[in-house]
Amino acid sequence: MQPASTLRMAALALLWGSGFLWIKLALDHGLSPAQITITRCALGTLVLLALARAAGQRLPRDRATWGRLAVAALFCNAVPFALFSVGEQTVDSGIAGVLNATTPLWSLLIGIALGTDRGLGRARLTGLLLGFAGTVLIFAPWQRSGLASWGALALLAAAASYAVAFAYMARKLTSGQAPLAVSAAQLMAATAWTTLALPAAGPVHPDLTALLAVTALGVLGTGVTFYLNYRLIADEGPTSAATVGYLLPVVSVTLGAVLLDERVGLRVVAGMAVVLAGVALTRHRSAKAFRGAGNRAPSPHRLSADEHPAQAP
């Protein structure tokens, strides 16, 4: 991997992984889940619009594309962004990062259900079972101190929503044209979706910490991260870029423990390791396929759900 790509991967892992920290800080300092979701979508849209304009890319003009982007924006942005904010009201930011890593497991389940993923060999089936076993280990529903709660379920639902979005995008958004502009349009649609929640947003009483946190989440964790991921895919291919997903839980758990004094028990660490091992096994077939195909540089919209890197929280 080129030195520039290594730096992009490190920056991408840090910015995406820190998103869970920014959400927790914004919640703890006066912003509601709806306010966080609306603000981050709007700020991410502005960043991507600026990047698209600098690259000379124009927004889509046909209604059909905007209709498909509206569906993708609902499941890939509006719904999971809101669910992560709701979930982190009661769940630590580090745990949220770990549960986000289950997205490829949901993707594989959806692929099997839709009949689009027929390559379920022994290794991938083992990975699927192992990944969900790790999730159960993290939840520990048999203990009073377990994490099974509505907040944790909201985080799992967010990861599943990403998987639904990837399956849809792989079928309906296959154009590699103007990826920055298309993504800006998608976040614009997500901003429109989230404004529907304004009546439930509540009064605004943020302090400076909340404002800085939600700004970092929108500008860096939502806007800039797409550009870094886009460049990483273009330079190194989707399989290499997808490895960032394995770093996000480590970053989120570390930042939560160091900056928020979140306690991470041995059971959670073991569960995280099991989940990541399961995810690695579920990607066994597709990684081999991409090695055979060479390092092409498709748009992120061209990736299958199985190959799409983990998203920002």
Side-chain angles (χ1 to χ4, degrees):
M1 182 176 293
Q2 302 174 8
S5 296
T6 302
L7 290 176
R8 288 193 190 99
M9 180 174 288
L12 189 57
L14 179 60
L15 293 179
W16 261 347
S18 65
F20 307 96
L21 170 69
W22 302 131
I23 291 174
K24 178 64 78 173
L25 286 174
L27 287 169
D28 290 347
H29 289 266
L31 288 176
S32 69
Q35 291 163 357
I36 294 171
T37 306
I38 293 168
T39 305
R40 72 175 297 187
C41 285
L43 290 175
T45 299
L46 292 176
V47 171
L48 286 175
L49 283 174
L51 291 172
R53 182 171 183 178
Q57 298 180 12
R58 295 183 177 182
L59 294 174
R61 298 185 178 183
D62 59 293
R63 291 184 179 180
T65 298
W66 276 101
R68 291 190 290 270
L69 286 173
V71 176
L74 180 64
F75 291 103
C76 193
N77 305 110
V79 169
F81 287 0
L83 288 175
F84 272 112
S85 294
V86 169
E88 286 197 49
Q89 289 181 304
T90 56
V91 179
D92 286 347
S93 64
I95 301 298
V98 174
L99 296 181
N100 178 62
T102 63
T103 295
L105 305 178
W106 296 110
S107 293
L108 181 54
L109 276 180
I110 291 172
I112 295 171
L114 295 178
T116 57
D117 200 321
R118 303 179 185 277
L120 187 62
R122 186 176 301 175
R124 301 185 82 203
L125 178 59
T126 300
L128 186 64
L129 297 175
L130 198 62
F132 283 115
T135 304
V136 172
L137 181 60
I138 293 170
F139 276 2
W142 57 87
Q143 295 184 2
R144 287 188 177 182
S145 59
L147 293 173
S149 65
W150 287 110
L153 291 177
L155 296 173
L156 276 180
S161 183
Y162 279 139
V164 171
F166 299 160
Y168 177 83
M169 292 160 72
R171 286 188 170 193
K172 301 296 184 178
L173 290 172
T174 57
S175 174
Q177 299 296 320
L180 291 172
V182 169
S183 294
Q186 182 175 314
L187 266 185
M188 191 181 297
T191 304
W193 279 118
T194 56
T195 55
L196 297 176
L198 275 176
V204 179
H205 298 297
D207 60 16
L208 181 59
T209 299
L211 294 177
L212 291 176
V214 77
T215 299
L217 181 65
V219 173
L220 301 176
T222 308
V224 173
T225 50
F226 175 84
Y227 177 72
L228 291 174
N229 186 52
Y230 160 68
R231 285 297 307 275
L232 194 59
I233 291 173
D235 293 342
E236 302 295 335
T239 303
S240 296
T243 59
V244 175
Y246 298 104
L247 304 177
L248 302 192
V250 178
V251 172
S252 69
V253 168
T254 301
L255 291 178
V258 173
L259 300 180
L260 299 179
D261 198 27
E262 296 177 351
R263 295 185 178 181
V264 182
L266 181 60
R267 188 191 75 247
V268 173
V269 174
M272 178 177 69
V274 172
V275 167
L276 293 179
V279 169
L281 285 173
T282 62
R283 287 176 168 172
H284 175 73
R285 180 186 63 82
S286 49
K288 183 178 179 180
F290 270 103
R291 283 197 300 270
N295 268 353
R296 294 189 292 270
S299 160
H301 295 302
R302 277 189 172 274
L303 301 184
S304 69
D306 207 31
E307 297 302 327
H308 210 295
Q311 294 297 292

